Amino acid sequence: MTTWGRILALVTVVQVGTAEASIVPCYADAVIARAAAVIQIVNFTVSGPDANNSCTIAGEVARVFRGGRRFNVGDKVQTSVTCAGDPQVLCGSIWYDPEDIAAAGAIEVHVEREGDAPVGAESVLLLPAVTDKIVWTSACGN
């Protein structure tokens, strides 16, 4: 797959909209647990928020925990994550402040499987640095 193909695949990961509000937390947890790929990115830039309250994160893959056929260390990737909005409209769904995203040392991204409803910011973790194992842990026993 070309680098652009990887980028486009990753961009579809964390698209957040009003449909996210209807996702049951343990469904989101299950989707993250069975993610098609889990990567950590570094050397990233953050832009936004845009009209959809999303920030674009563009960076370099530093770790590939799952999905080695789609992603390789050094690949340039980008994704988007909710980074602004009214918590009541988002029905309690999490979102990251753009300054917090920019201050992270690494970002762990769980790339959902085709056909799963996107779970949004829950599938992205801000980390102080790259790690040797997946940081995310299940809240629902998945």
Side-chain angles (χ1 to χ4, degrees), residues 7-93:
I7 290 170
L8 293 176
L10 188 56
V11 167
T12 62
V13 175
V14 199
Q15 294 300 318
V16 180
T18 55
E20 180 184 7
S22 64
I23 294 177
V24 177
C26 284
Y27 173 80
D29 190 89
V31 169
I32 296 167
R34 67 177 183 240
V38 179
I39 61 174
Q40 289 180 359
I41 61 174
V42 295
N43 302 328
F44 51 86
T45 60
V46 181
S47 61
D50 62 17
N52 295 319
N53 293 325
S54 293
C55 284
T56 299
I57 303 167
E60 177 182 332
V61 176
R63 293 278 195 273
V64 179
F65 297 109
R66 196 181 309 156
R69 293 179 190 247
R70 280 175 80 179
F71 300 101
N72 296 295
V73 171
D75 285 350
K76 304 294 185 207
V77 295
Q78 71 178 24
T79 190
S80 64
V81 64
T82 302
C83 63
D86 182 341
Q88 291 192 355
V89 172
L90 295 173
C91 297
S93 182

Side-chain angles (χ1 to χ4, degrees), residues 116-136:
D116 282 338
V119 297
E122 292 86 349
S123 61
V124 174
L125 292 164
L126 305 182
L127 307 173
V130 172
T131 65
D132 291 329
K133 62 180 183 173
I134 296 172
V135 174
W136 177 83

